[in-house]
Amino acid sequence: MTKKEIEERKFRPAKQEVKDAAKNLHTPQTTSAAYTLAFQDRDFLLRDDLRPVRFQLELLKPELLMNEAKIESTFVFYGSARIPEPEKAQARIEAAASEEERRIAERLAAKSKYYDEARRLANIAARYPAGEDGKQNFVVCSGGGPSIMEAANRGAADMDAPSIGMNIVLPHEQAPNIYVTPELSFQFHYFALRKMHFLLRARALAVFPGGFGTFDEFFELLTLVQTGKMKPIPILLFGKEFWSKVVDFEALADEGVIAHRDLELFTWVETAEDAWSTVCRFYKDDNLMGCD
């Protein structure tokens, strides 16, 4: 027996089985849902009893595809889906139909600078060289949506570099932003699995002003690091004026519900250069472009 014969596959592949199953004669038995191959039976897979299987599939599919793309680590971007890019900020203000809408539009426009900062930071991260084995590090990863997420993917696209988008199914119609690499554009049903994939490969994470979703992702990350479930990584918090207004971090420490040292879990930054310098200091890596 040759080595080839020892290593060759002995069982017929599932793809072939699917083709053969399609040739079945149409009888009351073969047309029954019970006869459908389990992995082709959509109604069966969507049963409540199959939730653990769907969890496993949603964990496994992105993992396999990112492994195949040789993505070793990521630079994750969290932030609002509502902050406009600077070029569109004024148009939104002018389109306001009431004083309240105008006030909100003006406040969002004031934060539009963070669109540019996210894009520039992604520019920098995207320049990190691939290893000799082709493995890629600090690959830009976002939630795949508009605003800050779009800026991150766009920044990588500026460098002709791949970037990841992890979208989520929502009741209202949406689509991934156009800058996500199509082969790395993922859609999730479960928020929990999406957040897990954000962090499994994360080696740096930038948090920009945002709402409930950003709070959820940011505070879960802080909890994981605080409790030792995850090793520390650079957590770069953009927009001290915004965050200090909506969250009194010092008060949490003063009240004793967190320790004062927990405030060191993240670093305040305002520019892409500040953020990248923090990553440089954390890893002390000469390969980090722009590190002096």
Side-chain angles (χ1 to χ4, degrees):
M1 183 175 288
T2 66
K3 187 174 185 292
K4 179 181 178 182
E5 290 174 316
I6 294 172
E7 295 178 347
E8 72 179 358
R9 184 187 186 114
K10 301 302 180 184
F11 285 93
R12 283 156 50 82
K15 284 183 179 180
Q16 186 60 51
E17 293 287 275
V18 168
K19 290 180 181 179
D20 291 344
K23 300 174 185 176
N24 286 327
L25 297 175
H26 285 264
T27 70
Q29 290 75 28
T30 62
T31 55
S32 168
Y35 200 71
T36 304
L37 286 167
F39 55 82
Q40 284 194 298
D41 190 336
R42 178 179 173 182
D43 290 336
F44 172 68
L45 290 173
L46 294 179
R47 289 173 57 159
D48 285 348
D49 314 76
L50 271 290
R51 184 174 291 117
V53 175
R54 294 196 298 274
F55 262 66
Q56 185 176 13
L57 291 172
E58 198 152 283
L59 177 64
L60 187 59
K61 181 181 178 181
E63 178 72 10
L64 291 176
L65 293 179
M66 284 191 279
N67 281 342
E68 290 170 1
K70 296 187 176 182
I71 295 174
E72 187 77 2
S73 69
T74 57
F75 197 131
V76 178
F77 289 68
Y78 289 160
S80 175
R82 303 186 183 191
I83 295 173
E85 62 177 293
E87 291 77 8
K88 297 179 180 179
Q90 185 59 37
R92 182 164 182 169
I93 293 172
E94 293 172 356
S98 67
E99 281 302 313
E100 176 66 9
E101 285 187 12
R102 184 179 182 84
R103 181 182 63 80
I104 292 173
E106 287 174 344
R107 289 192 174 181
L108 288 171
K111 289 184 273 291
S112 65
K113 62 184 180 181
Y114 293 117
Y115 183 102
D116 284 343
E117 295 302 333
R119 185 176 176 181
R120 288 199 297 122
L121 180 56
N123 279 172
I124 300 170
R127 298 174 199 160
Y128 191 89
E132 292 181 3
D133 55 3
K135 290 184 177 179
Q136 303 180 80
N137 285 284
F138 292 108
V139 177
V140 171
C141 175
S142 85
S147 189
I148 296 298
M149 295 172 279
E150 174 189 284
N153 297 118
R154 186 175 182 180
D158 290 340
M159 301 291 108
D160 293 322
S163 71
I164 304 162
M166 296 189 178
N167 221 309
I168 187 84
V169 177
L170 296 174
H172 53 272
E173 184 178 351
Q174 62 161 356
N177 70 69
I178 62 172
Y179 301 104
V180 177
T181 300
E183 294 77 18
L184 298 173
S185 182
F186 304 112
Q187 183 174 213
F188 291 85
H189 169 57
Y190 298 107
F191 269 106
L193 273 298
R194 178 178 182 246
K195 289 192 290 183
M196 180 175 286
H197 273 296
F198 275 137
L199 298 181
L200 281 174
R201 285 175 167 78
R203 296 299 178 269
L205 198 146
V207 185
F208 292 83
F212 288 159
T214 303
F215 273 64
D216 175 37
E217 294 157 352
F218 174 40
F219 280 95
E220 181 167 293
L221 169 60
L222 291 179
T223 302
L224 289 169
V225 178
Q226 179 202 46
T227 57
K229 298 291 286 184
M230 178 179 174
K231 291 181 179 180
I233 63 172
I235 302 173
L236 313 158
L237 193 55
F238 281 79
K240 187 171 186 178
E241 181 181 355
F242 168 82
W243 286 106
S244 297
K245 181 178 180 181
V246 298
V247 182
D248 194 334
F249 293 102
E250 291 289 345
L252 288 173
D254 291 341
E255 291 294 326
V257 293
I258 65 171
H260 279 280
R261 66 176 177 274
D262 292 332
L263 302 180
E264 299 173 5
L265 295 176
F266 57 84
T267 302
W268 294 109
V269 295
E270 288 299 325
T271 68
E273 290 74 21
D274 289 343
W276 192 249
S277 293
T278 301
V279 176
C280 292
R281 290 193 299 272
F282 186 92
Y283 287 110
K284 300 181 177 67
D285 185 345
D286 293 337
N287 286 324
L288 292 178
M289 306 290 287
C291 294
D292 297 321

